[in-house]
Each structure stands twice: as C-alpha cells, then as structure tokens.
Amino acid sequence: MFKLWFSEYKNSLKMVEVEEIFDLIYFRPLAFFLVKIIYNTNITPNQITKTAIIFSILGGIVFTLGTPAAFVGGALLFMLYNIFDCADGQLARLKKNGSNLGRIIDGFGDYIAGVSVYIAIGIGFANHTSNPLFYWLLTIAAGMSNTAQSMALDYYRNRYLDYAFDRDLLLGENLH
C-alpha cells in the first residue's frame, strides 16, 4: 500500500532536482493528499489554480488588518494557497492533462499571490504604526528581494535543465 502511494506521489512531482526543498518536504505531500481526494472527480487543475488564487487574495485581505492574529490567519491562508498551488500541477501530471494555458494561469496566479501578499502586509503594517513610510520601504525591499531571488532561481533552474538534459536553451544562447 505504502509502496503504491509513494510511487504515485513520485509520479506527481516535477523532477526532484528542481523542486524547492520546502515544497518537497511539506507542501507537496499535503497537496498530494488533496489530489488523492479529488482525483476521481471532474475537478480540473485549472479549477485548483483558481482556488489557490482565491486563497492568496483572501490571505492578503486578512493581512491588511495588521494585527498579530490577522498575520497568523493570513499566513494560514497563504499556506493553503501554496498547497493548492502544488496540487494543480500534481493533478495535471497524474491525469496527464496539463496544458500551456494551465501553465500560464498557474504563473499568473503566482504573481497575483506575491503582489497581493506584499501589498497587504504593507497596508497592515502601515496602518498600525507611527512610521508607515518605514514599513512601506521595508515591505518594498522584501518584495524586491523575493522577486530577485525568484528570478535567479528560475534562471539557474532552467540553465541546469538545459545543460543536464541537452535541451534547447530557453534564452537562445549557445552551449558550445
């Protein structure tokens, strides 16, 4: 039983070499339980993506309240976003029904989540402090840092895949 579950779980993953470690050990196993629950339904990966987007926006709304309890609640909603964000791809891989449109919607959802969370945290802090400019600058710096890190991770992950699997280069550069 466990062997079958683990085999299905492995088939639901992207290449382990390019998985983010926290996704691999935390979010993806939780997402896989969700996928197992909905696998035999008519729920599509794109519907899962849209649900994830709703969780990220709701998390952002809660973050704007700016209280310690709101930050915990917003974080829990953002965790649900991450679980659903992992589940959409896992469901698509297991059902073999992924699409380019699905990848675009998923990427768009990631941008919505990032923007909504950072703006909401900025609003939450700025409305509950005597120095809102400081917290806006801090939030903007955090968002820019996260964006730079994400861009670098995506670039080097794709470079790794280009070299390791001798695939056509994403940016049209020449390997040789």
Side-chain angles (χ1 to χ4, degrees):
M1 177 78 167
F2 178 75
K3 216 173 187 181
L4 175 62
W5 181 91
F6 190 70
S7 174
E8 285 180 316
Y9 173 68
K10 281 178 49 178
N11 289 335
S12 77
L13 298 176
K14 297 184 243 178
M15 294 175 43
V16 175
E17 296 86 357
V18 296
E19 283 280 7
E20 294 178 40
I21 190 71
F22 202 68
D23 281 352
L24 196 57
I25 63 173
Y26 184 71
F27 289 119
R28 292 223 183 261
L30 293 173
F32 185 68
F33 284 117
L34 173 63
V35 167
K36 292 298 283 181
I37 291 168
I38 64 170
Y39 185 81
N40 290 320
T41 69
N42 291 328
I43 296 172
T44 67
N46 289 347
Q47 290 169 325
I48 298 298
T49 302
K50 292 170 188 171
T51 303
I53 293 168
I54 291 168
F55 280 125
S56 73
I57 292 170
L58 289 174
I61 291 168
V62 172
F63 279 135
T64 64
L65 301 174
T67 65
F71 283 122
V72 170
L76 290 173
L77 286 164
F78 198 67
M79 286 174 59
L80 285 172
Y81 155 75
N82 278 302
I83 291 166
F84 277 72
D85 186 44
C86 289
D88 59 3
Q90 287 177 285
L91 182 63
R93 282 185 285 279
L94 287 178
K95 286 191 168 187
K96 298 181 183 357
N97 66 350
S99 67
N100 287 334
L101 177 62
R103 286 186 184 95
I104 291 168
I105 294 171
D106 184 60
F108 182 69
D110 292 341
Y111 290 123
I112 290 173
V115 168
S116 68
V117 165
Y118 279 103
I119 289 173
I121 288 172
I123 292 169
F125 277 133
N127 287 339
H128 291 85
T129 182
S130 61
N131 190 358
L133 180 60
F134 170 75
Y135 284 101
W136 273 115
L137 292 174
L138 191 62
T139 303
I140 290 167
M144 290 173 62
S145 172
N146 183 267
T147 300
Q149 183 269 337
S150 294
M151 289 170 61
L153 177 69
D154 285 343
Y155 175 80
Y156 286 107
R157 180 183 312 175
N158 279 297
R159 293 299 292 188
Y160 164 77
L161 292 170
D162 294 340
Y163 285 111
F165 297 100
D166 198 29
R167 67 181 198 178
D168 291 335
L169 296 176
L170 194 61
L171 299 175
E173 300 160 344
N174 195 349
L175 282 177
H176 308 287

